[in-house]
Structures are given as structure tokens and as C-alpha cells.
Amino acid sequence: MNQPTEPSVTTRPTETLWLDYRWPLLIALAHLPLLIVHLINLFSREQYQHFPMVLLAFGILVFNRLEPIPAGKMGPIRRQGAFLCWIIALGLFGFGTFVFSPWVAAVGFVISVGGILLSLRERFQIHNAFGLWLILWLLIPVPGGYEQRLSQSLQQWTTTTSASILQAVYIPNIVEGTTIQLPSQRLFVEEACSGIVSMMAILATCLLMAVLANRSLLHMILLVASGLLWASVMNIVRIVSIGVFSERYGIDMAAGWPHTALGLVVFTGAVILVVSSDQLLCFLMEPGDAEKFDRGSLSETVLRWIQVVEWGSPEPVFLEDETLHMPTHPGKFGTPTRVFSILFLLIGMTGLAMGLNRLRTGQEIAFTGSIDDVDRLLNENLLPTEVGGWKRTEFRDEHVERLFAQQSRVWVYRKDSLVATFAVDFAFPQWHDLCDCYQKIGWQQDGVSQVAQTATEQDPYLSSNFYKGTVSRGLLRFCLTEKDGVSISPPEALGPLGKLRQRMENDRTLFQIQLWVTKDGEFLDREAEDATKLFEHLHGIVTDRLAGQSGLPPAGTNNAATSQSGPTEDASP
């Protein structure tokens, strides 16, 4: 009886792989300078600190899934697809280098890798190449502050849902914005507690699981959707558990190692639920024994169901009854690929030169979230104890669990019935709309924000009015400032191109300077003017300190506490 023969494969020395594919690999290496800056930016964000595992998984999966295929299987469509990817990536990479935006350059890198995967398929079958390419998109954050808006929406939803469940289990509570007031303590659901961190980790887990198991595209989409749902549900379980343990058993699970342990248990539960969802989808979407029958004998409904569940399925690695061999000649990439490689290298060298020049001149090249010598920059004695009739009554050094700006310096001033809170929050990587934050805690914005400028430095800032109920009123003045004390323009003051560029910039280290004034009853024109003068005066002190960091006084020196100049009722500072 004849035994089936295995397909013969003529191998090629692996040492020649670099020589054959040096041009596509150079395209990837050209992105390295700005890509490193982008990865530094990612590591400063807690929700993206899993990215090394993403890169490691991508590399291992690609290496293990390179299989030889019959020569000449790459047709014109794939070759043109690779060139199209490189044309798009070249434009993004060039623009990202020109404006020094690592995020744009990283998007170009991911698209160029897509072109490289297409080009490799001239000699290799890469099983589920599209799924592998999707893994790299986990390295690209959503631009334009939408991620923070999502976090704030999750924060509000998590708070209200958790409070409702606590009420259902007979634990009384009152919700104030994103704060749950329990009988024994207050639970403030920070942005970091909104579930965005675990959600991003579960998203990566779902995508890697689907690619590893070669699920269809439809299966992958449904698995990711279920994973996001389970991450949100388990985060609510965590908040409710903190309330139950606190009120029923007197155990504080909101801080320390108990909080960390609870988070690990909840995340593990979410992963188990994701695995269960994957198996359920396999059961529901498995064609079963339908393939054993002649498709012509199956009903139209069954055929359509098979098409649905097989949509986006990875193609088989080998075709039956084919002799597999490697071509004996180097890869035929030709002149176009070499031209692309040279252009990418030139842009990459330009980006490297720009980065080195920024380092030499002391400019920011990456967002790290940390500020050097911040205690000497922003200490209690930086601002005056009395200014224009306002008296300082309190100072706070706050550390809050947020996605960004986890540190704040807060000075509280009072004048008659007005209470003014002046704060410097740091650090933000891009423009942050503070109005959204006040609306999340129950305040309603009265009208739209107005762009204004300080009287002395002409620095732009936003002015907004708020109300809560029929009595409480609030005034907000805020801006974001570079580390050198230069305020950036708010989106309301920019044109379409300026807004687009600002949305793509997420690697700067910005200070948020704000003044929040509250009062019972309507503000008089004189009171609103006093608040504005107070903001502009204190803003000037902070920006002057940031601009003159080289000559800082000792931490205990009170350089401004004795100053009595500033906003008055009849004169600008």
C-alpha cells in the first residue's frame, strides 16, 4: 500500500533572508527614532504599559507563522497593495517628522509593516497575517482627547451603576457627581478607577487570543466586544465590593495591598469570562457537520449562516497536492522598493537629527509625566498670602489617581462671600478641556467658553460660567502652559489645521492653571472682574516661575508671600 508523501520543500539558507529582504526591513528600521519616542510616551500611560508584551507577541507569532509557499504565488494585487501601504506610510511618516509628532509617525510605522507583511507573502505564507497586523494597532492611542472623554464617561457610568447596586443590597448612599457617599466613608471614583486601564488590557488579551486561535474576523469582533463588556462589569463588581466590605465588615479595600489584591482578582475574573465567551462563540459559530454534505443540497438559510460564520476566516496555510519550494533567486523587490527604502531612511535621519537638536536645546521630545524639582517649582510660598483683598486660607499638595495630572498644588483664597481655588495640575500630554470635568461632578455650563488674554503677557485662556441648582454659581478661568511658561492656544482660538495638529500632539508636558470661584447667588460684575484679575495675577507668578527655573530660590524661601501688589477693584495688576 502506498504511503502518502509529504510535500517537498526546498529550503534556502536563513542567512540570506536579510540580503533578500533588506530593503523592506530598512523601511521598518527608518521609523526607529520617532517610534522610540512614541513608546516612551506610551509607557507614561498606565493603560498602555502592557505594550512590551504586545510587541513580543507580534514578533513571536510572525516568526512562528512564516511558512514556505509555491513560488510566484504573490500576484499583482498584493504587490500593489504593499506599494499602496508604503505610499500612505511615507506621507504620514514625513508629516509626523515635519511637525515632530511621534504619534503620526507610529501610525505610519504600523501601515508600513502592513506593506512589509504583504511583500513577505511573495515567498512566505503568513497564517492570519491580517490578525497579526491588527495586533500592532494596540500601540496607537486614540488621538484628540477622545480617550479621556471615554474614561470620564465610564467614570460617570461606573459611579451611577455601582451606587444603584449598593442601594439594591440595602447599603444607603448618595451620589454627587463621581463620588459615592456611604455612611462610613466617601468613595471617589477616579478616572483610573473608571475601568479604562483594565479595559485596554482586556482588549489586548481578546485580540491576542483570537489571533493565536485563528478565529474568524467576525468571531474576533464579537470576542473583543464581549471582553469590553466584561471589563466594565467586573470593574463595577470591584467598586461594589469595596462598599460592601467597608459597610458590612469594616474592611477598607479602597487602599493598600487589599485594593491591589481585589484588582487582581477582578481582572482574573474578567479573563475567565472572556475565555468562556470565546468557547460560547465557537459553539454558536461552528459550521458543524455541514461541510460533509454537498452544499447544493443545503438550504439557503444554512448556506448563508455558513458564509456569515466563515467571514474573515484565515486562509489555509497550504493547498492540497502542491509541491512547495523556495525560489532559488533573491526576492524581486526591484527599483520601487529600493526607492521607498531610501526615502524612508532620509526621513528617519531627519527625525533623528530633529530629536537630537531638541535634546541639545533642552526642548521636550517625549511625555514622561514627571516634573524635575517640582517641590521647588511649586511650593506653598510661591503665591502671596494676600493680594487685592483676597486672603489665602489654605494650601494643599494633592495626589490623585487619574490617567494624567496625578499631582496638584492648590491654594485657596477668600474675599467676602467668594471662595477662590487656584490650582496647578500636572502633567498633561495635550490640551485638556477642564469644563468637562466640572460637568462630570454635577455643574452645568452656562453658555460656551470664551477665549480671553491676560492683560500683561497676552497669554490665552478660557473663561466659563457654571451653575448648580438654583443657587450655586461658579466661575472658571483656566489655561495649559508649557514647561517654559508659554501658554498654548485653546482649540476655540485655532483654525481647522491648528486643531488637527493639536489633536495629534500628545507628547508635551503641560501644566494646567485654573481658578475656580464659587458663590451662592449671581455674581456681580465687580466680583467677576476681581476673580479674573486674581487669576491673571497668580497665573503670571506661576508662568514667571516656570520660565525662570534656572534661578530657583530655596524651597523654604517666601519670594511672593509678602507681595501685596495685584488685582484691585480699580486697577489691573
Side-chain angles (χ1 to χ4, degrees), residues 115 129 206 211 234 272 277 285 299 319 366 414 425 430 435 441 490 498 513 552 566:
C206 291
V211 174
M234 294 306 293
I272 293 174
S277 300
M285 302 178 65
S299 67
L319 300 176
R414 292 181 181 272
D425 313 307
Q430 58 188 8
C435 296
I441 61 175
I513 303 176
L552 294 181

Side-chain angles (χ1 to χ4, degrees), residues 285-355:
M285 302 178 65
E286 178 64 39
D289 296 332
E291 296 178 355
K292 297 181 180 179
F293 300 93
D294 181 12
R295 295 209 172 196
S297 63
L298 299 177
S299 67
E300 185 70 20
T301 303
V302 174
L303 288 175
R304 288 188 179 276
W305 174 249
I306 293 175
Q307 292 175 355
V308 168
V309 299
E310 291 182 346
W311 177 67
S313 298
E315 67 277 9
V317 178
F318 301 124
L319 300 176
E320 295 181 359
D321 301 327
E322 285 200 86
T323 300
L324 308 178
H325 66 279
M326 298 288 288
T328 57
H329 56 77
K332 297 180 180 179
F333 288 105
T335 302
T337 304
R338 298 178 183 180
V339 172
F340 276 119
S341 302
I342 293 173
L343 291 176
F344 273 102
L345 283 175
L346 290 175
I347 297 175
M349 293 173 63
T350 303
L352 178 61
M354 292 176 64

Side-chain angles (χ1 to χ4, degrees), residues 31-49:
H31 293 80
L32 200 57
L34 285 180
L35 183 62
I36 291 176
V37 176
H38 176 71
L39 295 180
I40 294 174
N41 292 335
L42 279 188
F43 198 73
S44 65
R45 296 160 167 81
E46 185 179 359
Q47 67 272 30
Y48 290 104
Q49 289 180 354

Side-chain angles (χ1 to χ4, degrees), residues 8-12 68 324-328:
S8 61
V9 178
T10 304
T11 60
R12 181 174 175 82
L324 308 178
H325 66 279
M326 298 288 288
T328 57

Side-chain angles (χ1 to χ4, degrees), residues 148 152 188 191 378 382-383 390 394-396 398 400 402 404-413 419-428 431-439 441 443 449 454 459-466 474-481 487 510-518 530-543 546:
Q148 189 161 8
Q152 291 171 349
F188 183 60
E191 288 182 12
L378 304 171
L382 171 65
L383 300 183
W390 295 88
E394 186 181 355
F395 171 78
R396 299 192 302 269
E398 296 182 349
V400 184
R402 291 187 290 240
F404 304 112
Q406 297 185 0
Q407 298 185 62
S408 297
R409 299 292 188 269
V410 181
W411 296 263
V412 179
Y413 287 84
V419 180
T421 302
F422 183 83
V424 181
D425 313 307
F426 53 93
F428 287 94
W431 175 264
H432 170 249
D433 191 350
L434 187 58
C435 296
D436 291 340
C437 296
Y438 281 100
Q439 293 182 71
I441 61 175
W443 289 89
S449 300
T454 58
D459 287 334
Y461 66 91
L462 285 184
S463 173
S464 303
N465 299 328
F466 291 83
L475 296 179
L476 177 64
R477 309 288 186 262
F478 75 99
C479 67
L480 275 87
T481 302
S487 297
L510 302 175
F511 292 83
Q512 179 178 264
I513 303 176
Q514 63 161 307
L515 180 75
W516 172 250
V517 186
T518 58
D530 278 352
T532 299
K533 291 180 179 179
L534 176 66
F535 169 77
E536 294 187 0
H537 180 67
L538 300 182
H539 167 274
I541 295 176
V542 172
T543 53
L546 295 177

Side-chain angles (χ1 to χ4, degrees), residues 67-104:
E67 298 287 350
I69 63 171
K73 285 294 181 180
M74 179 176 179
I77 295 179
R78 290 181 178 176
R79 178 69 62 87
Q80 293 172 4
F83 290 163
L84 178 61
C85 287
W86 289 337
I87 290 173
I88 297 174
L90 186 66
L92 291 172
F93 187 38
F95 179 73
T97 301
F98 176 73
V99 300
F100 202 82
S101 174
W103 181 87
V104 176

